[in-house]
């Protein structure tokens, strides 16, 4: 083990990643060498930032904790600390079940770790981060928590009510990140479109995005995790008005059948959902919509599932993910409904849905062949440079592959390319 070295392991979503990056910065200010997601951790201390959203994520987090505790037992590390959503949700249970962990922290008190190491938390650097992403893009978390209380979702149980960050703090963070070379911002929140209601008494997401777009050096802004009910249409006006606000919206719809949406406590019905998508496409021509859908929620019969398939065929989402429902401790659905759809039925429906989306994605991507698009280069991989268009978020969306033999391209720089070919998801291009 390397003395004065700490390994951070991040599990779960990009919101967790932001917390890890802030922790890394504080540790580095205090003189530690910090690695992130090293496949072979070799420091004195391991800090695991856990996810507690769904069963698979919880299992992954617990397995990682046990693996690191085994490393401690074998003398390969000196201490193991755990933070994040899983420990926030099951703090007491984890302490009893895995006493080998030196200390558990929750989702919001991870900064206490600095003091427990005998170091000082530097408040003046609170929103500074050491990016774990390529230095040209960053995730920007504008709030925590959620007020929606969807029947299936455990996140409000973990994170509590929606808490917006003051606009001036967010602007200061963006200005700092731009000074570090960041050009592209993925704006993230559990519910992006509720931003500002708790501290300003009204939705301020459009104002916030417009303000960020006006900061010199911000080249691309992409919006993640909107909620369909009471969507603030002025946000679309900003998307049209500001060239650096990508025509891209990530909005989790979950389902379309009215009775399923009612049981999910989504406060929207089928017709309103159709109308919303129609309005998006009318107001922002060329917009790419990313959504997440769920199969197997209690009450989803074959008729409701076919309704969902018909909706996806109609909407032709440019980007889509899906998952199968599972009961989560403490949620309304787990208390009020029986999880009565067999796993094999859920998995069959999930496969059908994703097969349909694969065909839609192939159709969407094929229409781009022959077009000239602007891309940002993320990396070189084998014989290709790998880039993304304004319609592609890192990690989750398709990429653009450009032959490396053509010319030297710089990571983090923008280029105009002509799309020459496509497959089900990715595009192939040549530089102009």
């Amino acid at each position: 083990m390397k003395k004065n070295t700490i390994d951070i392991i991040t599990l779960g979503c990009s919101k967790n990643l932001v917390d890890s990056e802030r922790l890394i910065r504080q540790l580095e200010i205090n003189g530690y060498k910090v690695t992130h997601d090293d496949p072979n951790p070799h420091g004195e201390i391991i800090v695991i930032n856990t996810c507690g959203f769904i069963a698979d994520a919880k299992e992954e987090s617990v397995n990682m904790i046990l693996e690191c505790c085994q490393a401690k037992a074998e003398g390969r590390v000196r201490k193991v600390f755990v933070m994040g959503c899983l420990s926030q949700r099951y703090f007491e249970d984890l302490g009893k079940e895995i006493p080998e962990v030196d200390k558990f922290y929750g989702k919001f008190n991870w900064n206490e770790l600095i003091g427990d190491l005998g170091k000082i938390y530097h408040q003046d650097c609170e929103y500074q981060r050491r990016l774990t992403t390529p230095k040209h893009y960053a995730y920007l978390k504008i709030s925590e928590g959620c007020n929606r209380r969807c029947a299936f979702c455990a996140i409000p149980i973990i994170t509590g009510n929606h808490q917006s960050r003051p606009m001036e703090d967010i602007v200061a963070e963006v200005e700092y990140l731009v000074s570090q070379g960041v050009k592209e911002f993925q704006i993230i929140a559990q519910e992006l479109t509720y931003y500002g209601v708790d501290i300003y008494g009204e939705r301020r997401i459009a104002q916030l995005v417009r303000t960020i777009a006006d900061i010199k050096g911000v080249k691309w802004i992409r919006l993640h995790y909107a909620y369909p009910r009471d969507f603030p249409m002025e946000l679309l006006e900003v998307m049209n008005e500001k060239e650096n606000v990508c025509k891209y919206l990530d909005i989790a719809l979950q389902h379309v059948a009215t009775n399923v949406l009612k049981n999910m406590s989504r406060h929207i019905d089928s017709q309103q959902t159709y109308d919303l998508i129609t309005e998006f496409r009318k107001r922002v021509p060329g917009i790419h919509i990313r959504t997440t859908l769920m199969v197997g929620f209690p009450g989803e019969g074959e008729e409701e599932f076919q309704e969902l398939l018909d909706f996806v065929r109609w909407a032709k989402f440019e980007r889509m993910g899906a998952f199968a429902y599972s009961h989560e401790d403490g949620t309304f659905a787990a208390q009020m409904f029986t999880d009565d759809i067999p796993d094999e039925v859920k998995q069959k429906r999930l496969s059908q849905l994703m097969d349909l989306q694969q065909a839609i994605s192939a159709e969407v991507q094929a229409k781009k062949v022959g077009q000239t698009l602007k891309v940002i280069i993320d990396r070189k991989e084998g014989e290709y440079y790998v880039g993304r268009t304004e319609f592609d978020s890192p990690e989750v969306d398709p990429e653009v592959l450009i032959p490396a033999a053509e010319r030297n391209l710089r990571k983090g720089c923008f280029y105009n390319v002509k799309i020459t070919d496509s497959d089900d998801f990715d595009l192939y291009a040549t530089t102009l």
Side-chain angles (χ1 to χ4, degrees):
M1 77 179 69
K2 287 191 177 180
K3 208 172 178 187
N4 217 40
T5 298
I6 296 178
D7 296 300
I8 308 286
I9 298 170
T10 303
L11 305 172
C13 68
S14 52
K15 295 187 288 295
N16 265 12
L17 187 67
V18 171
D19 293 338
S20 290
E21 290 175 345
R22 290 174 61 197
L23 175 59
I24 292 170
R25 176 64 178 151
Q26 289 288 332
L27 291 169
E28 289 180 337
I29 292 171
N30 279 289
Y32 288 100
K33 181 180 178 182
V34 186
T35 70
H36 182 258
D37 284 352
D38 192 315
N40 183 31
H42 53 270
E44 286 186 285
I45 298 169
I46 294 179
V47 181
I48 309 162
N49 190 355
T50 57
C51 179
F53 178 38
I54 58 176
D56 287 348
K58 289 187 285 187
E59 183 179 358
E60 180 186 23
S61 292
V62 169
N63 288 341
M64 181 59 69
I65 295 169
L66 294 175
E67 185 179 321
C68 292
C69 287
Q70 181 63 33
K72 177 184 172 184
E74 294 171 1
R76 291 185 281 127
V77 299
R78 192 164 56 86
K79 290 188 175 183
V80 175
F81 297 110
V82 175
M83 59 183 274
C85 292
L86 186 78
S87 53
Q88 178 77 26
R89 189 175 180 188
Y90 300 107
F91 189 85
E92 292 185 6
D93 291 342
L94 285 170
K96 293 175 184 176
E97 294 293 327
I98 317 178
E100 297 86 353
V101 171
D102 291 274
K103 189 167 181 179
F104 288 92
Y105 303 86
K107 173 74 176 166
F108 304 107
N109 70 332
W110 55 262
N111 54 356
E112 295 175 10
L113 171 62
I114 307 296
D116 290 340
L117 293 174
K119 305 295 183 179
I120 298 171
Y121 183 83
H122 290 260
Q123 195 73 37
D124 57 327
C125 301
E126 184 173 9
Y127 293 116
Q128 292 187 15
R129 293 148 56 184
R130 198 258 273 170
L131 295 181
T132 58
T133 58
K135 68 177 184 179
H136 55 274
Y137 72 78
Y139 296 96
L140 181 68
K141 182 162 57 172
I142 64 171
S143 65
E144 288 280 10
C146 184
N147 287 11
R148 291 298 180 178
R149 302 298 190 272
C150 298
F152 54 83
C153 185
I155 287 176
I157 299 170
I158 301 168
T159 61
N161 287 336
H162 182 102
Q163 293 182 322
S164 302
R165 290 177 56 195
M167 199 174 297
E168 57 269 24
D169 286 1
I170 298 170
V171 169
E173 181 176 357
V174 171
E175 290 174 340
Y176 166 75
L177 290 169
V178 168
S179 76
Q180 301 301 300
V182 176
K183 302 175 181 179
E184 175 187 356
F185 290 85
Q186 325 299 329
I187 300 183
I188 56 173
Q190 192 57 38
E191 189 194 335
L192 178 99
T193 37
Y194 199 76
Y195 174 79
V197 173
D198 54 319
I199 55 178
Y200 302 119
E202 62 182 6
R203 293 169 188 263
R204 293 268 184 100
I205 183 61
Q207 181 184 343
L208 175 66
V209 173
R210 184 179 281 111
T211 301
I212 295 171
D214 286 338
I215 295 174
K216 187 176 181 181
V218 175
K219 303 299 185 184
W220 271 356
I221 297 169
R222 208 172 279 106
L223 306 174
H224 286 272
Y225 319 129
Y227 185 84
R229 176 69 184 267
D230 301 323
F231 183 90
M233 291 296 174
E234 61 269 23
L235 187 56
L236 303 180
E237 296 172 13
V238 180
M239 197 174 285
N240 282 324
E241 174 191 333
K242 299 293 184 182
E243 190 177 337
N244 57 352
V245 179
C246 299
K247 289 181 170 57
Y248 177 104
L249 182 66
D250 189 341
I251 181 166
L253 296 173
Q254 307 300 351
H255 215 279
V256 75
T258 294
N259 59 318
V260 176
L261 289 168
K262 183 179 179 181
N263 289 341
M264 287 180 169
S265 303
R266 294 289 286 175
H267 309 292
I268 193 170
D269 63 25
S270 178
Q271 189 57 55
Q272 290 169 326
T273 304
Y274 273 91
D275 291 346
L276 188 66
I277 300 303
T278 299
E279 196 67 14
F280 287 165
R281 300 211 185 278
K282 176 184 173 183
R283 292 196 183 210
V284 186
I287 190 172
H288 278 44
I289 301 171
R290 162 168 278 283
T291 196
T292 304
L293 301 173
M294 182 190 300
V295 298
F297 189 83
E300 183 196 61
E302 192 59 37
E303 182 179 342
E304 287 80 11
F305 177 62
Q306 289 302 320
E307 192 175 341
L308 181 62
L309 291 177
D310 288 343
F311 173 61
V312 171
R313 289 189 190 99
W314 171 84
K316 294 188 183 300
F317 294 110
E318 288 79 9
R319 316 284 183 244
M320 193 196 85
F323 63 102
Y325 171 78
S326 64
H327 266 349
E328 292 302 322
D329 298 340
T331 60
F332 182 81
Q335 296 167 15
M336 299 302 295
F337 299 116
T338 301
D339 187 7
D340 55 358
I341 299 176
D343 284 342
E344 58 267 26
V345 174
K346 292 179 185 176
Q347 293 305 316
K348 181 181 177 182
R349 290 178 182 175
L350 184 61
S351 295
Q352 273 187 266
L353 185 61
M354 293 312 298
D355 286 347
L356 172 58
Q357 179 57 28
Q358 184 172 342
I360 290 170
S361 176
E363 180 183 334
V364 167
Q365 296 298 76
K367 288 180 180 178
K368 295 186 172 77
V369 174
Q371 293 183 15
T372 296
L373 299 173
K374 183 166 78 170
V375 301
I376 191 167
I377 302 300
D378 282 340
R379 65 190 184 278
K380 185 179 179 184
E381 197 170 277
E383 298 179 355
Y384 292 97
Y385 287 105
V386 181
R388 290 174 293 106
T389 72
E390 68 170 299
F391 309 118
D392 307 307
S393 258
E395 305 293 335
V396 296
D397 286 334
E399 295 173 317
V400 182
L401 306 179
I402 304 159
E406 283 187 0
R407 57 181 281 200
N408 290 327
L409 304 181
R410 293 180 61 188
K411 187 166 71 172
C413 289
F414 291 94
Y415 298 89
N416 288 323
V417 302
K418 184 174 182 179
I419 307 303
T420 57
D421 199 1
S422 67
D423 57 26
D424 288 348
F425 297 103
D426 293 330
L427 298 173
Y428 297 83
T430 184
T431 53
L432 295 178

